[in-house]
Amino acid sequence: MTAAVFFGCAFIAFGPALALYIFTIATEPLRVIFLIIGAFFWLVSLLFSSLFWFMARAITDNKDGPIQKYLLILGVLVSVLIQEMFRFVYYKLLKKASEGLKTINPDETAPSMRLLAYVSGLGFGIMSGVFAFVNTLSDSLGPGTVGIHGDSPQFFLNSAFMTLVIILLHVFWGIIFFDGCEKKKWSALLVVLLTHLLVSALTFISPHYGINLVSTYLIMVLMGIWAFFVAGGSCRSLKLCLLCQDKDFLLFNQRSR
Amino acid sequence: MLTFMASDSEEEVCDERTSLMSAESPPPRCCQEARQGLEDRESAAQWRSQDSEEDLDEDADRYMCSGVPGQPSGLEEELTLKYGAKHVIMLFVPVTLCMVVVVATIKSVRFYTEKNGQLIYTPFTEDTPSVGQRLLNSVLNTLIMISVIVAMTIFLVVLYKYRCYKFIHGWLIMSSLMLLFLFTYIYLGEVLKTYNVAMDYPTLFLTVWNFGAVGMVCIHWKGPLVLQQAYLIMISALMALVFIKYLPEWSAWVILGAISVYDLVAVLCPKGPLRMLVETAQERNEPIFPALIYSSAMVWTVGMAKLDPSSQGALQLPYDPEMEEDSYDSFGEPSYPEVFEPPLPGYPGDELEEEEERGVKLGLGDFIFYSVLVGKAAATGSGDWNTTLACFVAILIGLCLTLLLLAVFKKALPALPISITFGLIFYFSTDNLVRPFMDTLASHQLYI
């Protein structure tokens, strides 16, 4: 397909994540390190999920037929569980690390848990999106016609938008999850897990992109709003920010109103 | 000896155009000797001691040092940790760049994935019908390669012990000459072939000559730090590409594993050649080979010319502030850091102020082997990017952990074992477990 498809889909899927990285993470070395460690944790969770699926397949002796489809669905659901488990493990690790940093460097401000929640969510999201989409992207540079056998010709666009929503969802889930852990609100964790399962389950109806994408984006908007309030935002601060009247922000940037 | 090893293998590259090169083996090391250096020399003038710190830090190939100015231990720990994250990023960036260059070349230029013979150091072929025979051949290849490396390392330690500096120095220059000119020429030729771009010989000559000459100057003498770093990254990438081309598949993986083990042994065992080299260098207060270490260090010296006898008389004149990098004119003679004069001249009574920003140094062999691992993952995976990315992340995490261990243990540590182990684990598991899973998910358009 064309270079336009490649670049278009690449920027749709990874543009916001890249912008978030450049503007919020790239300047601070500690954040970059936590991002990469987050990506690593997601990778390890994927490894365990693949191992589970592989063993399940080996147990059923690789028979073809509907059993493979059920195994795949089971694999997806177990994978979601394992990912959230690793998010919890990463939370525990970060908690220990920030306590350690605080005792050693009492003067220097260690990153706050909220910031680490955001960074870890972004790490998970970037890794998840990249693993899901990069092979498809590289195929889009090669020759071919999309949908020649009756499949949807919007395959690449759909995948790109799905990748984008997954990345953003991971960011929001990270924030909500860590906040739930901090305040010991286990219901938040449960909601994160359930929405993740829901989003993955929605992709099972895959050729019907309309329902799939629209509902996933709805969930993302809801999660985004929840994460915004969890992270300390409020309607008032949003209004001040949009009208460029936020004093703290202006003072920080030394701009006049 | 690490440096010796590297120069030796490069020299062999030079020698045998047809019979090809040996593996680079210099195992990496992290070291932190600044503190010791300073404690030894506290009476000397500050810049002089800083100089010797530099000397000590300028260790052999694959040394990773986080220099910390001599301070009481608690403060030192804080400083180490405070600089820790920045140092990690200072190493992430060049390692990432090297890997990106190697992967981009592997994915686009066919030459480096074609089989065109093998190195003389891996004589056993892998084109055998049975799996057992192939495994045996690769193990034999590895044994030969590693024993060659061990022999060369010991030879170089002996050379160093008997102070054959000129020999070593000349060897190094020969090696980098060959790398900068011959391999660049071949690489450029292949890239031009791939993109079907014509280039006439005069232009080619001019390009390669300029590239090589500036490279020699930057690496062996003085040059802007960024340029030196860029050249070191480029020659590491070139070496890694040659290894990826000429090492047969299974042998490459076994060699990577064996090199990590050798590295661990050579650096941590009391009789290990690398450890002996470092100790000898420490006893003599000499730098080893700056040409084969990637350095992100910048030395700023703000102060009066008290330290620099040559500018004693010129105190009245304003000097341009200069940022100077660690550089050495010739082996064993560290060049004195140029003085960074304050803009107000004529304050002869002013106290010396020195600001030093210590960077981290990582030997080029580390770059090479990391890139070989990622490049092999990119070359042999069936066009799969997931494997390459997984190895990339694994290596970065290994590097992070190694730096953390360095901060905790504060002694020489090898940089290869953890990263290569992670890289190997993730390569094999991603290729065999994750790839089928992700492919099946992608074909059904499922997202996890």
Side-chain angles (χ1 to χ4, degrees):
Chain A
M1 299 116 258
T2 61
V5 169
F6 173 76
F7 282 109
C9 290
F11 286 128
I12 288 175
F14 299 120
L18 192 66
L20 284 174
Y21 175 80
I22 290 176
F23 290 121
T24 58
I25 299 200
T27 46
E28 294 279 322
L30 207 55
R31 295 183 201 173
V32 176
I33 295 172
F34 283 125
L35 184 88
I36 295 190
I37 300 179
F40 179 71
F41 270 78
W42 188 87
L43 190 60
V44 175
S45 79
L46 179 66
L47 190 62
F48 280 112
S49 332
S50 319
L51 187 64
F52 171 83
W53 180 71
F54 189 79
M55 288 195 317
R57 264 210 325 183
I59 289 174
T60 61
D61 289 330
N62 280 349
K63 286 197 288 274
D64 272 327
I67 189 136
Q68 293 301 325
K69 185 105 172 124
Y70 296 139
L71 272 181
L72 195 60
I73 292 177
L74 179 67
V76 168
L77 298 177
V78 168
S79 170
V80 169
L81 276 167
I82 296 180
Q83 280 179 53
E84 297 303 327
M85 211 169 69
F86 270 86
R87 211 195 290 272
F88 186 70
V89 168
Y90 193 36
Y91 165 75
K92 282 284 176 211
L93 182 76
L94 282 178
K95 198 101 179 98
K96 272 214 184 85
S98 21
E99 278 161 19
L101 275 173
K102 269 199 205 97
T103 50
I104 292 177
N105 271 3
D107 313 320
E108 208 179 71
T109 47
S112 71
M113 211 55 189
R114 274 189 198 153
L115 180 66
L116 291 177
Y118 162 70
V119 168
S120 82
L122 191 59
F124 268 58
I126 288 180
M127 205 60 180
S128 167
V130 160
F131 259 66
F133 196 48
V134 116
N135 277 332
T136 315
L137 258 187
S138 84
D139 283 341
S140 80
L141 275 175
T145 308
V146 191
I148 199 169
H149 288 298
D151 303 308
S152 162
Q154 313 302 334
F155 172 70
F156 286 117
L157 264 185
N158 171 64
S159 305
F161 277 108
M162 198 63 201
T163 309
L164 170 65
V165 83
I166 293 272
I167 296 178
L168 291 175
L169 270 172
H170 269 290
V171 175
F172 301 142
W173 281 330
I175 298 174
I176 299 170
F177 193 94
F178 277 40
D179 183 70
C181 288
E182 284 279 292
K183 301 200 177 110
K184 304 269 188 274
K185 280 194 326 192
W186 307 116
S187 58
L189 271 68
L190 199 61
V191 172
V192 166
L193 180 63
L194 286 176
T195 43
H196 195 166
L197 282 170
L198 181 63
V199 165
S200 281
L202 277 172
T203 63
F204 293 155
I205 60 173
S206 71
H208 306 285
Y209 296 149
I211 315 170
N212 184 4
L213 270 180
V214 167
S215 26
T216 314
Y217 270 88
L218 264 175
I219 295 180
M220 181 201 79
V221 167
L222 287 172
M223 290 284 123
I225 294 174
W226 188 4
F228 176 73
F229 285 110
V230 151
S234 63
C235 295
R236 208 182 124 260
S237 67
L238 186 63
K239 196 176 81 169
L240 286 176
C241 176
L242 289 174
L243 296 176
C244 289
Q245 284 171 353
D246 187 346
K247 279 198 208 128
D248 294 332
F249 184 70
L250 292 173
L251 266 174
F252 176 70
N253 286 323
Q254 310 205 338
R255 249 183 265 141
S256 62
R257 206 167 308 180
Chain B
M1 71 253 86
L2 298 174
T3 322
F4 297 177
M5 273 321 298
S7 65
D8 192 62
S9 34
E10 285 174 331
E11 219 245 318
E12 280 161 23
V13 172
C14 317
D15 285 340
E16 313 144 344
R17 298 206 196 174
T18 48
S19 49
L20 328 168
M21 326 157 287
S22 68
E24 282 226 4
S25 78
R29 275 190 65 164
C30 308
C31 65
Q32 183 179 345
E33 295 141 303
R35 187 170 35 143
Q36 289 162 299
L38 265 180
E39 280 162 11
D40 289 343
R41 279 166 222 85
E42 237 152 290
S43 50
Q46 255 186 317
W47 74 284
R48 180 76 185 104
S49 68
Q50 164 209 309
D51 217 355
S52 5
E53 280 171 38
E54 296 302 299
D55 298 356
L56 293 178
D57 276 347
E58 285 288 27
D59 270 328
D61 192 18
R62 306 237 191 93
Y63 274 69
M64 228 160 61
C65 311
S66 65
V68 174
Q71 304 263 357
S73 55
L75 193 56
E76 208 175 82
E77 216 176 276
E78 262 184 45
L79 281 171
T80 312
L81 284 173
K82 207 196 286 194
Y83 289 143
K86 206 157 54 154
H87 286 181
V88 174
I89 299 300
M90 281 200 271
L91 284 185
F92 272 10
V93 172
V95 169
T96 308
L97 277 175
C98 191
M99 287 195 234
V100 162
V101 169
V102 169
V103 170
T105 309
I106 292 277
K107 290 282 186 185
S108 53
V109 178
R110 292 259 163 265
F111 174 72
Y112 289 103
T113 41
E114 288 162 4
K115 286 271 321 157
N116 260 346
Q118 288 183 200
L119 295 175
I120 200 176
Y121 302 100
T122 53
F124 296 95
T125 175
E126 285 195 7
D127 274 333
T128 54
S130 74
V131 171
Q133 181 71 18
R134 190 174 182 185
L135 195 60
L136 182 68
N137 281 355
S138 46
V139 171
L140 287 172
N141 280 339
T142 309
L143 282 174
I144 296 178
M145 188 77 98
I146 300 287
S147 40
V148 166
I149 286 167
V150 171
M152 292 204 295
T153 311
I154 294 177
F155 176 55
L156 288 164
V157 173
V158 163
L159 274 180
Y160 187 64
K161 264 196 169 350
Y162 290 109
R163 301 176 188 264
C164 308
Y165 296 144
K166 292 229 182 289
F167 186 70
I168 294 166
H169 201 58
W171 209 354
L172 258 183
I173 289 194
M174 280 293 301
S175 316
S176 34
L177 259 177
M178 198 54 62
L179 207 58
L180 279 170
F181 286 100
L182 178 68
F183 288 130
T184 309
Y185 170 74
I186 294 174
Y187 180 79
L188 195 59
E190 292 305 323
V191 170
L192 291 175
K193 255 190 243 174
T194 306
Y195 291 106
N196 204 16
V197 174
M199 188 187 263
D200 52 302
Y201 275 113
T203 312
L204 180 72
F205 174 73
L206 207 64
T207 312
V208 172
W209 169 252
N210 275 305
F211 180 81
V214 175
M216 289 302 291
V217 166
C218 276
I219 294 173
H220 290 281
W221 194 48
K222 291 192 234 249
L225 184 67
V226 177
L227 208 55
Q228 183 187 33
Q229 292 172 337
Y231 269 104
L232 289 174
I233 293 176
M234 278 190 273
I235 66 177
S236 308
L238 284 173
M239 277 298 270
L241 283 169
V242 178
F243 279 138
I244 293 172
K245 182 175 171 62
Y246 288 113
L247 286 179
E249 295 219 8
W250 290 21
S251 306
W253 299 113
V254 184
I255 285 175
L256 276 172
I259 283 275
S260 318
V261 172
Y262 168 67
D263 188 31
L264 199 62
V265 164
V267 171
L268 295 179
C269 284
K271 280 292 170 195
L274 301 181
R275 192 160 162 163
M276 277 167 43
L277 178 74
V278 174
E279 284 164 5
T280 316
Q282 278 180 359
E283 283 165 31
R284 297 183 193 169
N285 296 328
E286 276 168 359
I288 308 189
F289 294 110
L292 291 166
I293 308 170
Y294 175 90
S295 160
S296 55
M298 286 185 309
V299 174
W300 295 27
T301 316
V302 181
M304 303 308 280
K306 169 171 134 194
L307 299 184
D308 186 350
S310 63
S311 55
Q312 279 279 354
L315 267 180
Q316 317 305 323
L317 306 170
Y319 281 69
D320 286 335
E322 282 179 65
M323 217 159 67
E324 132 113 329
E325 33 150 337
D326 294 343
S327 61
Y328 294 87
D329 293 320
S330 59
F331 180 75
E333 289 168 30
S335 65
Y336 299 130
E338 288 165 36
V339 179
F340 177 116
E341 295 291 320
L344 309 164
Y347 271 49
D350 264 0
E351 249 193 337
L352 274 173
E353 270 172 45
E354 253 180 34
E355 235 179 78
E356 217 173 85
E357 182 168 318
R358 293 238 157 229
V360 202
K361 297 176 183 65
L362 181 65
L364 288 197
D366 289 331
F367 281 89
I368 291 171
F369 280 110
Y370 293 159
S371 308
V372 165
L373 197 151
V374 175
K376 271 282 184 213
T380 59
S382 39
D384 189 39
W385 283 90
N386 289 346
T387 318
T388 315
L389 284 165
C391 290
F392 167 71
V393 172
I395 287 179
L396 287 186
I397 294 289
L399 193 59
C400 213
L401 276 175
T402 313
L403 279 165
L404 188 68
L405 283 179
L406 175 70
V408 167
F409 286 113
K410 297 192 201 309
K411 60 179 260 200
L413 289 177
L416 271 185
I418 300 182
S419 289
I420 298 284
T421 310
F422 275 18
L424 287 175
I425 292 176
F426 273 86
Y427 171 75
F428 287 110
S429 51
T430 311
D431 206 33
N432 297 315
L433 294 175
V434 175
R435 193 164 49 89
F437 185 49
M438 292 306 286
D439 282 347
T440 320
L441 287 178
S443 65
H444 289 98
Q445 292 184 52
L446 302 178
Y447 282 80
I448 53 169

